[in-house]
Amino acid sequence: VYELYDSGSKYRTISREDDVPMLSSHRFILTRAGLIKKYRNTFSLTRLGKQMLTAGNHYELYGLLFQFVLEKFDWGSMDHYQNFRIIQDAAIFNLLILKKKAKKITNARNLGTIFIEAFPDILMEAEESARWGLPDDIVMHCFDLRFLERFCASFGLVEEIKAGLGKRLENQYRITPLFKTLFKWRI
C-alpha cells in the first residue's frame, strides 16, 4: 500500500493498479504493443521488448509506441468525458495546428478553439453540465487533456507550462525541438 500526493493537497491510498489510471493505461499499452507479458503473476519483457532494449532501438521503440497510441489505444478510456472520438481521429490535423500555432507559447484555449472551428459538430456531442460548463468548454478541456497533455506531452512533442488565470489554471504549450525534427510536412 502506497500513498500518493494528489493535486487536491490530500494523500490517496494506493493499494492496487486501478487506483492509478495512468499506470493501468501504460501497462495496457506496453502489453498490447507486444513489449511486456504477464506470466505467473509477474511482468517481464517479451522477445520484442528485449530485442528493442538490448539492441538500443530507441527510435523504433518510440515509433512503435507512438503508432500504437495514435491508432489502437482509445484515448477516451481514461476519463469521464463523452466519446469525442474525432479528437483522436483528427490527430494529424491537431499536430498541424501545433506546427502552425505553437511555435511560441500559446494557451490550450486558443488551440481548442481552432479545433472546434474545424469540427463544429463535436459541440452537438457535448452535454452541458453544471460541473463542466458549456459544450465548448467541455470540448476544449477534453482536447487539452487527451491530445495535449496525455498524447503530445507524454511523447515529448510539446512543452507544457502551467499558468494561472484568476482562480483557474490554464495550460500553455509550445512545440519542442523533437516535434520539429520528428515531422516532415508537405502541405
Side-chain angles (χ1 to χ4, degrees), residues 14-29:
I14 299 170
S15 57
R16 57 195 173 108
E17 183 181 288
D18 291 340
D19 292 338
V20 184
M22 290 300 286
L23 183 60
S24 294
S25 68
H26 286 116
R27 180 200 37 81
F28 177 82
I29 290 166

Side-chain angles (χ1 to χ4, degrees), residues 60-115:
E60 284 183 44
L61 179 60
Y62 182 92
L64 174 78
L65 291 171
F66 186 90
Q67 186 171 4
F68 181 85
V69 171
L70 185 68
E71 297 174 357
K72 297 179 182 167
F73 180 70
D74 178 13
W75 295 0
S77 65
M78 298 177 357
D79 58 49
H80 299 290
Y81 287 105
Q82 287 96 349
N83 186 16
F84 300 141
R85 181 67 194 187
I86 190 67
I87 293 173
Q88 183 170 355
D89 290 344
I92 302 302
F93 174 80
N94 297 336
L95 291 168
L96 182 60
I97 292 173
L98 289 178
K99 177 194 180 305
K100 292 182 175 248
K101 300 296 182 182
K103 290 177 183 168
K104 296 181 180 176
I105 296 173
T106 187
N107 68 44
R109 181 163 283 283
N110 291 345
L111 300 169
T113 299
I114 295 167
F115 174 78

Side-chain angles (χ1 to χ4, degrees), residues 4-19:
L4 175 71
Y5 180 72
D6 196 356
S7 60
S9 301
K10 298 177 184 173
Y11 285 93
R12 291 187 308 143
T13 302
I14 299 170
S15 57
R16 57 195 173 108
E17 183 181 288
D18 291 340
D19 292 338

Side-chain angles (χ1 to χ4, degrees), residues 131-149:
R131 181 176 182 196
W132 298 109
L134 299 172
D136 60 334
D137 288 330
I138 294 167
V139 172
M140 284 189 211
H141 287 269
C142 185
F143 178 84
D144 182 16
L145 177 68
R146 289 184 189 170
F147 177 69
L148 295 169
E149 279 186 42

